[in-house]
Amino acid sequence: MATIPVTPYSLGVCYYPEQWDRSRWTNDLNAMRDLGLSYVRIGEFAWSHLEPAPGEYQFGWLQEVLDLAAERGLSVVLGTPTATPPKWLVDWMPDMLAIDEDGRPKMFGSRRHYCFSHTGYRGVAARIVEKLAEAFGQHPAIAAWQTDNEYGCHGTILSYSDAARISFRKWLQDKYQTVENLNQAWGNVFWSMEYQSFDEIELPNLTVTQPNPAHSLDFRRFSSDQVKSFNREQVEIIRRLSPRRTILHNFMGEFLAFDHFDVAGDLDAASWDSYPLGALSLLDLPESHKRKFLRSGDPDFPAFHHDLYRTCGRGRWWVMEQQPGPVNWAPYNPSPHPGMVRLWTHEAFAHGAEVVSYFRWRQAPFAQEQMHHGINRPDGSPDVATDEIRATVREIRTISESDHAKHGITRVAAVRSAGGSKAAPVGLIFDYQAAWTLAIQPNRESFDYFTLALSFYRSARRLGLDVDILPQTANLDGYKVLLVPSLPILRPNLVASLKSFRGPVVIGPRTGSKTPDFRIPSQLPPGLLQELFPMRVLRAESLPDFAPIPVSWRGVNYQCRHWMEQIETSATPWIASTDGDAIAFTHEAFTYLATVPEQSLVDAMVEDIVSRTDVPFMLLPDGLRTRVHGDLRYFFNYGPTKVSLPVPKEAGFLIGGPELPVAGVAIIQL
Ligand code: GAL
């Protein structure tokens, strides 16, 4: 059944009526409407207010808020409150708490204090979802539901609880059938780790030294499946009782602990929470980069996730929480440069977002997030984001009135990027099991999958190219260039798709280096990739930061780091270190990297490769980014100085002009 349509370019806000006196609700909702917002997300942390004692439901206040919203034409996203189980529930079932890797319970007193495997908790969680969906599923204000809140936030996917142990054994039994199969697959003959029965198998924590990596990988897969089934339970209840409402979850940035493609497969749309400045502070990137983009955020981080979640949502996605000012949770929390809230909003729409919703309506003067700014200050006065949102609303009107929107191109673009013929010229294969595999056995401290993937992504964006982020199972038809940052466990279906792919493919180190059972392939790495690339990795070494690999290529000096493979191949060496060892090889349309090149070298290589195709590109200055959406081309200036846009003088600007100030946005009609 089709869901209630979303008006393109909608804005929203996260609101916590339970945290404010009811005398403020009417004014708040009026002010949201007057600001031009049309969506309000509520409820996701309100369990203790909705069910103060077991089975005692107090839904009157929520009914009132929903009625007030409906009267004002505001659409509500109702969050299920399962990220914040109330105290009575924890006291009732103390073993529902997740257990950390060191065997300690994650106690009540903040949020996300539950184990995905605890069947008792899951029953009570399903009950509150069902009660809410029964009470409000057909309410005219409700346009969408959000399941839970940020699965995995605060490191809460892996739980080493008794409940997890029981479920894991069952999961292993289903997977391997016999314990002999498991022993064989994991290589348990090593160190006398053989089991006689599934009931003997423990969780991979508290071991003397590292547990068997195959054990750890299966535990990660299992934990991801637990998130999927927990989420699916809620989705099924909501679908039954609240038909036509869009069901989403709010995923996070740089978060890899479960398979988002998989979990999102049960949702109608994906959404994510975008905190560009907090995120930049946590990236593994040089201080100079962080200084440069301190108040704008990394120029590719939001876009990377927009492109990822567009795929997860099969073309339908939102930003559920957009940073409007300083946050409270990062190591340091700067103010955004004036204009950035507007820029981040337009950029999300440029990547096809249906809704951008700010976090939060008003800064709370109490509890954990009192230093987190919102659209309004704790006293109710408008904080600086308000004017930017107002300006954005006006500009959205201009965009919507352009031919672009009249022809409904937003929708077409979303559908195109979901499958079939692709809008973006570049595809980047992103894989959660790759992240787990490299985290379990990094072989080099801080060998980081996400950093590597972001560097490949950045190299395409620097050329002004649109990118789709894809799972290994994606249909690659229509893409012109493919980037594969690293894929230790290569799936046969991707190898088959690569065989028929017409266009250059850039493949990063460690690809094909493991089997699904976490073994070195019998034919040596790159395993299945050998069907495409005649090579064997004879040895891999990892290196400290103080011993990078110097490379000089076309008169420019670069460094590679962390990793170096010694390769036997009939392929052509392309780029070599100053010591003469090849770091990149080419064979037909494939390029393989034996190391982790610094960003400027990835950029130079990708530029060279793209320039040999018929894909039109432009070399953008650091900090300038562009994106095509329908028949509009957007430009965004993340950099610290103004830039001149690489567009012809006669270009028709819908917004902005050829000189883009810091934090500027320009939109031209193509
Ligand atoms: C998100 C979360 C919100 C709020 C916000 C603060 O991770 O979903 O509830 O905590 O961060 O930035």
Side-chain angles (χ1 to χ4, degrees):
M1 201 184 308
T3 51
I4 300 168
V6 178
T7 309
Y9 306 102
S10 290
L11 297 178
V13 71
C14 305
Y15 182 50
Y16 300 92
E18 72 279 14
Q19 297 176 9
W20 304 98
D21 193 84
R22 69 182 330 156
S23 60
R24 302 181 83 154
W25 295 350
T26 307
N27 281 348
D28 285 344
L29 294 167
N30 285 343
M32 288 172 200
R33 185 201 52 202
D34 295 347
L35 184 57
L37 310 181
S38 42
Y39 282 82
V40 194
R41 186 195 65 177
I42 60 177
E44 81 278 10
F45 300 129
W47 198 341
S48 67
H49 237 59
L50 294 165
E51 190 182 2
E56 195 182 291
Y57 301 102
Q58 283 185 6
F59 288 178
W61 66 270
L62 184 52
Q63 176 78 46
E64 198 177 327
V65 177
L66 293 177
D67 293 347
L68 288 171
E71 283 161 21
R72 281 152 190 80
L74 291 166
S75 297
V76 170
V77 183
L78 188 57
T80 68
T82 50
T84 48
K87 185 66 166 57
W88 57 257
L89 179 46
V90 177
D91 290 344
W92 176 18
M93 308 180 177
D95 60 350
M96 63 163 275
L97 297 174
I99 303 291
D100 76 8
E101 204 176 346
D102 297 324
R104 292 172 311 198
K106 299 191 174 183
M107 303 292 285
F108 180 85
S110 62
R111 61 178 172 182
R112 300 218 53 79
H113 42 280
Y114 69 85
C115 171
F116 283 94
S117 298
H118 194 276
T119 47
Y121 175 64
R122 285 174 70 141
V124 184
R127 191 178 73 182
I128 185 70
V129 174
E130 182 147 36
K131 289 287 173 198
L132 284 168
E134 268 167 13
F136 303 117
Q138 311 278 353
H139 193 287
I142 300 228
W145 289 80
Q146 174 187 297
T147 55
D148 201 280
N149 189 80
E150 291 191 341
Y151 291 133
C153 187
H154 318 303
T156 51
I157 296 302
L158 303 182
S159 167
Y160 299 86
S161 67
D162 291 342
R165 183 182 305 107
I166 292 166
S167 303
F168 184 46
R169 287 174 179 167
K170 165 95 179 46
W171 185 94
L172 290 171
Q173 188 146 20
D174 288 346
K175 175 168 178 179
Y176 291 104
Q177 304 294 316
T178 71
V179 78
E180 292 75 25
N181 290 344
L182 177 142
N183 283 327
Q184 171 61 28
W186 287 7
N188 281 338
V189 63
F190 192 78
W191 287 353
S192 270
M193 291 183 294
E194 285 163 305
Y195 299 104
Q196 302 302 322
S197 111
F198 286 99
D199 294 335
E200 291 177 3
I201 300 172
E202 300 293 338
L203 298 175
N205 67 323
L206 299 173
T207 48
V208 174
T209 183
Q210 51 176 278
N212 187 333
H215 187 173
S216 299
L217 181 59
D218 268 343
F219 184 58
R220 297 251 189 171
R221 290 171 173 145
F222 154 78
S223 302
S224 182
D225 285 356
Q226 295 299 86
V227 179
K228 184 179 170 75
S229 66
F230 181 85
N231 182 67
R232 181 182 269 178
E233 265 165 29
Q234 297 202 5
V235 170
E236 282 170 356
I237 294 167
I238 297 166
R239 259 207 192 117
R240 177 161 50 81
L241 297 169
S242 189
R244 300 199 60 229
R245 273 69 177 184
T246 294
I247 308 176
L248 313 104
H249 174 75
N250 56 334
F251 298 107
M252 288 180 284
E254 199 189 354
F255 189 79
L256 310 172
F258 62 89
D259 190 323
H260 290 49
F261 294 120
D262 203 20
V263 172
D266 290 324
L267 300 166
D268 296 315
S271 77
W272 80 287
D273 296 345
S274 180
Y275 292 93
L277 302 193
L280 175 69
S281 73
L282 300 175
L283 286 175
D284 181 18
L285 291 172
E287 213 172 88
S288 54
H289 182 84
K290 295 189 181 185
R291 193 175 319 116
K292 186 167 185 181
F293 297 111
L294 181 74
R295 298 187 186 281
S296 56
D298 182 278
D300 298 303
F301 188 92
F304 181 98
H305 292 89
H306 298 336
D307 292 339
L308 169 64
Y309 291 120
R310 190 179 56 251
T311 301
C312 285
R314 300 171 307 287
R316 289 198 59 197
W317 69 282
W318 301 17
V319 171
M320 192 64 88
E321 298 180 15
Q322 172 62 62
Q323 171 170 8
V327 301
N328 65 307
W329 46 262
Y332 47 86
N333 300 293
S335 282
H337 193 285
M340 282 314 294
V341 175
R342 163 181 175 255
L343 183 154
W344 292 326
T345 307
H346 279 304
E347 192 178 33
F349 289 130
H351 286 254
E354 292 181 350
V355 178
V356 176
S357 154
Y358 302 96
F359 183 91
R360 50 185 272 159
W361 175 246
R362 186 163 48 237
Q363 181 177 356
F366 45 77
Q368 280 93 330
E369 293 183 346
Q370 51 187 273
M371 297 303 287
H372 194 298
H373 285 251
I375 296 180
N376 295 288
R377 302 194 181 91
D379 67 353
S381 61
D383 206 336
V384 294
T386 310
D387 283 342
E388 289 191 34
I389 295 170
R390 205 167 277 129
T392 311
V393 168
R394 280 196 300 273
E395 289 165 345
I396 283 171
R397 223 164 276 147
T398 309
I399 298 167
S400 305
E401 283 160 9
S402 73
D403 289 350
H404 163 75
K406 278 191 219 135
H407 297 147
I409 287 168
T410 306
R411 205 124 289 290
V412 176
V415 172
R416 274 171 76 202
S417 62
S421 87
K422 302 297 191 298
V426 180
L428 183 148
I429 306 287
F430 191 68
D431 186 76
Y432 289 88
Q433 297 212 25
W436 307 338
T437 306
L438 294 171
I440 290 168
Q441 201 173 75
N443 260 64
R444 197 289 181 192
E445 219 181 23
S446 73
F447 189 108
D448 184 57
Y449 176 64
F450 181 80
T451 309
L452 188 61
L454 185 63
S455 81
F456 275 57
Y457 179 80
R458 198 188 297 290
S459 69
R461 295 252 306 157
R462 187 183 145 264
L463 300 176
L465 300 176
D466 293 346
V467 183
D468 280 347
I469 296 189
L470 305 166
Q472 289 209 47
T473 48
N475 172 3
L476 304 179
D477 294 351
Y479 293 104
K480 299 287 196 321
V481 177
L482 204 65
L483 305 177
V484 184
S486 182
L487 217 43
I489 302 175
L490 196 54
R491 296 203 200 173
N493 80 286
L494 180 61
V495 176
S497 313
L498 289 176
K499 276 185 187 155
S500 54
F501 186 73
R502 299 277 158 262
V505 184
V506 186
I507 302 167
R510 306 183 77 164
T511 298
S513 60
K514 300 291 174 195
T515 69
D517 291 332
F518 214 120
R519 288 167 175 246
I520 295 172
S522 54
Q523 67 274 47
L524 293 187
L528 296 182
L529 191 63
Q530 287 169 3
E531 293 177 32
L532 306 165
F533 205 109
M535 65 176 266
R536 292 198 308 155
V537 178
L538 301 181
R539 170 175 288 189
E541 63 168 348
S542 64
L543 297 164
D545 279 338
F546 58 77
I549 302 158
V551 171
S552 177
W553 187 50
R554 296 180 176 166
V556 183
N557 293 329
Y558 302 98
Q559 290 186 339
C560 299
R561 52 179 204 152
H562 289 176
W563 190 259
M564 183 64 188
E565 292 168 1
Q566 188 192 328
I567 289 172
E568 176 191 82
T569 181
S570 56
T572 315
W574 182 32
I575 302 172
S577 73
T578 47
D579 295 338
D581 302 319
I583 59 130
F585 298 87
T586 60
H587 175 71
E588 296 168 354
F590 298 97
T591 299
Y592 182 88
L593 310 184
T595 181
V596 180
E598 68 175 309
Q599 184 69 52
S600 52
L601 183 51
V602 182
D603 290 347
M605 286 192 284
V606 171
E607 183 184 336
D608 184 86
I609 288 165
V610 170
S611 69
R612 285 183 262 131
T613 69
D614 59 4
V615 176
F617 68 94
M618 50 183 127
L619 241 191
L620 298 177
D622 208 14
L624 180 65
R625 290 295 181 259
T626 184
R627 165 88 198 175
V628 173
H629 181 53
D631 61 0
L632 300 181
R633 180 177 280 286
Y634 288 67
F635 286 96
F636 306 99
N637 186 6
Y638 275 83
T641 50
K642 69 169 192 225
V643 282
S644 301
L645 296 182
V647 291
K649 282 208 180 52
E650 61 281 7
F653 282 89
L654 207 57
I655 286 174
E659 286 281 300
L660 208 53
V662 178
V665 177
I667 306 178
I668 56 177
Q669 199 123 22
L670 295 174

